Amino acid sequence: MAETVRCAVVGLGRAGFSHAENLVNSVKGAELAVVAATRKEHAEAVASRLGVRHATNTVNDIFENPEIDAVIIATPTATHKQLIQRAAESGKHIFVEKPITRTSEEAEETIRIIREHRVMCQVGFMRRFDPAYAEAKKRVDAGDIGKPIYFKGIGRDPGSPPLDYMKHSGGIFLDLCIHDYDIARYLMGAEVASVTAFGRILAHPFLEECRDVDQALTHLTFHSGAMGDIEGSRNAFYGYDIRGEIMGTEGTIQIGSLRHHDVKIMTAKGKTHDLIPDFPTRFKDAFCLQLQSFVDSIRNRQAPAVSAADAKIALQIAEAATKSFRTGTTVQVAADQPE
């Protein structure tokens, strides 16, 4: 077992900074050795804030450094393929935010290179590590609700990212719904056979320029015979709303709520409670736990909990949903299997 996994974080936006902060403060067995951003002054500011010794705006400084064991990639999706492949060729283990690449063809090529260089790659589907989702998985696997027959997922963001982001996001099915596609197949213990997707612009007219929508619905069928539906929305102006449900032949499991704190406010005007404001708040524990799992996998030389092959399957579902929405037809999902 390696004593300490020396890590670099590439990309210091909201997700990247969260990963860097967790590596410094919360993840056991890891050391954050370098942070990298496009603007060196930003990398230096983050390094100073977190007490990291090295900051750079040149990824070569990371890939050519033999003391770096692992790279956490939190950059735009269009850069993932190149960065993952360079990390693999440099012998670095990889944690990358979802989606693994822009297309399943890119993912296939990238997975081949990862395997060729015998490095580990974990992809950031953090819901699998959220305590509520993890408990639901244990209950399903224990047979507490019988055979799973229906999945329902709700993923609602408080608004849409700006146009510059949305132009390169890959669309709502890839950028937002992919989390639910992954957790659906994980919780149901079955692969998705086909999808039928719908969508419309209800509140953000600028999305028409991106050929995207702000309200979407995906109907799923599974090879097990089960079914499901997933709502993706940019229109939850009341707060961040992530919920799920697995129906079984002997019961159902509901995951998540709108409550932030377990506090009720009662006045003459009625009863209220506060709402979850954003995804870093909702999945704070999950972000930390997934990095701990990644580091533990490296130290123990075990396969990652969410593999690159898992990520490719989620990407294939998202691609099928996008095609279904644009063609108005039901689309079969490629029958890849996880590692």
Side-chain angles (χ1 to χ4, degrees), residues 8-303:
V9 172
V10 180
L12 295 171
R14 186 162 58 171
F17 179 80
S18 175
H19 293 320
E21 192 173 37
N22 283 329
L23 284 167
V24 169
N25 297 322
S26 305
V27 178
K28 297 177 182 178
E31 176 191 346
L32 180 56
V34 187
V35 292
T38 304
R39 293 184 297 110
K40 189 171 184 180
E41 61 270 24
H42 179 47
E44 289 173 342
V46 171
S48 176
R49 179 174 173 182
L50 296 179
V52 179
R53 285 182 295 171
H54 300 291
T56 184
N57 63 343
T58 305
V59 292
N60 286 341
D61 293 344
I62 293 169
F63 296 132
E64 294 174 3
N65 185 343
E67 295 186 356
I68 299 300
D69 302 307
V71 180
I72 288 79
I73 299 170
T75 54
T77 303
T79 67
H80 286 186
K81 175 187 173 184
Q82 180 185 18
L83 290 174
I84 294 170
Q85 292 184 8
R86 290 193 63 191
E89 290 164 355
S90 302
K92 317 296 186 192
H93 299 294
I94 303 147
F95 177 95
V96 61
E97 278 297 334
K98 65 78 193 169
I100 184 170
T101 52
R102 289 177 296 185
T103 67
S104 56
E105 288 79 11
E106 286 186 353
E108 185 172 351
E109 177 186 341
T110 300
I111 291 170
R112 178 181 58 77
I113 292 173
I114 290 167
R115 290 172 174 166
E116 182 179 308
H117 291 276
R118 300 181 180 275
V119 295
M120 182 184 303
C121 180
Q122 181 172 320
V123 184
F125 288 108
M126 75 287 187
R127 291 191 197 178
R128 295 195 187 201
F129 301 89
D130 176 73
Y133 281 94
E135 179 65 18
K137 176 63 172 174
K138 289 180 184 177
R139 297 286 187 170
V140 171
D141 289 350
D144 289 359
I145 60 168
K147 180 183 176 181
I149 57 173
Y150 201 88
F151 175 85
K152 180 176 286 291
I154 294 174
R156 297 174 181 169
D157 277 358
S160 174
L163 178 61
D164 286 346
Y165 174 88
M166 297 304 291
K167 283 180 178 179
H168 307 287
S169 71
I172 195 169
F173 301 102
L174 178 64
D175 185 53
L176 181 63
C177 298
I178 195 169
H179 276 295
D180 274 299
Y181 299 147
D182 176 72
I183 205 66
R185 57 180 290 267
Y186 178 65
L187 292 175
M188 298 294 284
E191 298 300 336
V192 176
S194 68
V195 296
T196 311
F198 312 89
R200 183 168 292 182
I201 297 172
L202 299 180
H204 300 88
F206 72 85
L207 289 175
E208 186 171 354
E209 183 178 338
C210 313
R211 296 184 67 203
D212 201 0
V213 296
D214 56 24
Q215 193 74 34
L217 181 68
T218 310
H219 179 267
L220 312 173
T221 64
F222 293 86
H223 285 294
S224 64
M227 298 172 65
D229 67 83
I230 289 170
E231 177 194 344
S233 176
R234 307 283 193 190
N235 302 323
F237 303 108
Y238 52 87
Y240 188 64
D241 189 357
I242 301 295
R243 287 172 281 155
E245 183 174 9
I246 312 103
M247 288 176 54
T249 53
E250 298 175 22
T252 191
I253 299 174
Q254 295 181 335
I255 308 164
S257 74
L258 291 170
R259 288 186 185 276
H260 184 196
H261 300 101
D262 191 15
V263 174
K264 296 178 183 177
I265 304 169
M266 289 171 279
T267 69
K269 296 180 180 179
K271 181 173 69 175
T272 63
H273 61 81
D274 60 354
L275 302 177
I276 298 169
D278 50 40
F279 80 87
T281 302
R282 169 62 181 84
F283 290 109
K284 181 180 179 181
D285 291 342
F287 271 98
C288 184
L289 289 168
Q290 69 175 350
L291 275 188
Q292 186 65 66
S293 176
F294 173 62
V295 168
D296 289 346
S297 294
I298 295 172
R299 296 180 72 212
N300 296 316
R301 294 178 173 85
Q302 296 174 339

